[in-house]
Amino acid sequence: MRLGASPADDAFRAELASWLAAQLDGRFARLRQPDFNRNEFALLRAWERALGEAGYGCIAWPAALGGRDASLTQRVIFAEEWARAGLTPRPNHIGIELLGATLLAHGSDDQKARFLPPLAAGTEFWAQGFSEPNAGSDLSNIQTRARLDGDAWVLDGQKVWTSWAHNADWMFVLARTTPGSRGAKGLSFLLVPMRQPGVIIRPIRQMTGDEEFNEIFLDGARTDAANIVGAPGDGWAVAMATLTFERGVSTLGLQTRYRRELDQLIAAAKANGRARDPLLRHRLARAEIGLSVMRANCLRMLANIDRGTPGREGAVNKLYYGSWHQRFGELVMDVLGRAAEIAPGPDYAYQGLPKIFLQSRADTIYAGTNEIQRNIIAERWLGLPREPRG
Ligand SMILES: Cc1cc2nc3c(=O)[nH]c(=O)nc-3n(C[C@H](O)[C@H](O)[C@H](O)COP(=O)(O)OP(=O)(O)OC[C@H]3O[C@@H](n4cnc5c(N)ncnc54)[C@H](O)[C@@H]3O)c2cc1C
């Protein structure tokens, strides 16, 4: 499949590539430096705003909501050029790809009009408030409560592993709104402003040295009664749609980023002589094959979603890319050898290829662990009996 074959697509690619090059050689050059840290929020916010002003905020969305009605081919081109430019993941990924997609599918017209244009303009950042200390894989065990008090929902509870919450203006929260309910019933999907006294955010430091995620304490946090997506008590179905987007189409850019990482590793193997090692050559070739399969699956998934049938590819996609990238992280360490184990500075601030090894330990956990994806495939798609619950 040759993407960008039509003159309009080729023109889109050329225009985007030249805009990105101009930005990344100029005002936003720091985004490509090896020690760039995703906690440099002022820069990331300015970058999202620049994308919005140039009309690249959310290209797939309808023009009336801040998008440009881009075709599937153009979405793939955007992801390819983004990765080719050497950029890290989209700063407001959670807002655009998770909440934006969920609102397009399940939001009211008022919610779309209120929340989507600021996402496209890059002015409002979001966090995902699903996981709790006792609700990760077993997500329906949510204990955070929300009750209506006049014209507002009032929330009490605790969330954990909330990525980038310390830079978020809003958080979408799964909370129990039917007192006494259990499991998936009685949950609601609420949109909650972060900057208020009832929301307490505590960063958690990771072994990469980054502070990506947080603990969140909700202590009488309030949000407008209208900020509920779907009906009260029907939040589980909405949250499952969000997870389908998170595991599937939102990861479009990943395989292009992995392409760049693999090319860097192949170059490093040639430079340090490990490319002559028969076992490492074999593993590099397997990584190449895996990446080709990932790309084919990604395009198939996109085509199905455009036909309105978000399918089983999401679970397969998550399982496949998470496992591939984790094996790739191990290959990085074996190709680079002992040099990869030495941090360039204090605080174990690893950069470049060695950092991939540390980061990729999380790839088989976030957005649902490998074991959970296998359960989904076994139970929902193969019709196997549900696993016994302990
Ligand atoms: C980098 C990163 C970013 C994250 N960002 C966010 C975020 O922004 N918002 C958010 O809400 N959450 C976020 N999470 C949390 C993530 O969704 C959870 O970590 C994940 O769902 C697993 O839940 P848990 O950590 O509670 O592990 P547990 O559910 O306690 O699982 C522990 C182990 O038991 C296994 N296990 C559990 N149940 C079963 C079963 N039924 N069958 C077989 N094996 C099972 C799991 O596979 C795992 O290996 C993030 C996680 C990471 C690593």
Side-chain angles (χ1 to χ4, degrees), residues 128 130-131 136-137 160-163 212-213 362 365-367 369 371-372 375 387:
Q128 176 186 27
F130 283 4
S131 303
S137 300
V160 71
W161 315 126
T162 322
S163 298
E212 170 181 335
F213 39 45
I365 302 174
Y366 66 78
T369 67
E371 290 75 21
I372 293 306
N375 281 349
E387 54 152 355

Side-chain angles (χ1 to χ4, degrees), residues 182-266:
R182 296 185 60 182
K185 296 200 174 81
L187 299 172
S188 296
F189 192 105
L190 302 172
L191 311 176
V192 180
M194 293 296 274
R195 297 179 207 285
Q196 55 168 314
V199 177
I200 298 138
I201 305 170
R202 274 203 218 145
I204 301 172
R205 194 175 167 84
Q206 298 158 234
M207 66 179 172
T208 51
D210 295 337
E211 283 176 358
E212 170 181 335
F213 39 45
N214 302 266
E215 286 182 294
I216 308 282
F217 298 91
L218 300 166
D219 184 13
R222 298 177 78 86
T223 193
D224 197 279
N227 288 337
I228 177 168
V229 183
D234 284 347
W236 184 253
V238 183
M240 289 305 103
T242 309
L243 288 178
T244 302
F245 296 126
E246 183 175 14
R247 292 166 182 162
V249 71
S250 87
T251 59
L252 174 59
L254 275 183
Q255 31 97 23
T256 40
R257 179 156 62 90
Y258 294 169
R259 168 80 268 158
R260 198 164 45 84
E261 292 177 359
L262 179 55
D263 288 344
Q264 283 173 1
L265 188 63
I266 291 167

Side-chain angles (χ1 to χ4, degrees), residues 18 44 53 66 68 72 74 95-96 193 224 238 256 277 279 304 345 349 377:
S18 108
L44 291 174
E53 281 161 17
R68 54 198 280 173
L72 167 62
Q74 290 181 350
I96 294 166
D224 197 279
V238 183
T256 40
D277 179 315
L279 289 179
N304 283 352
I377 292 166

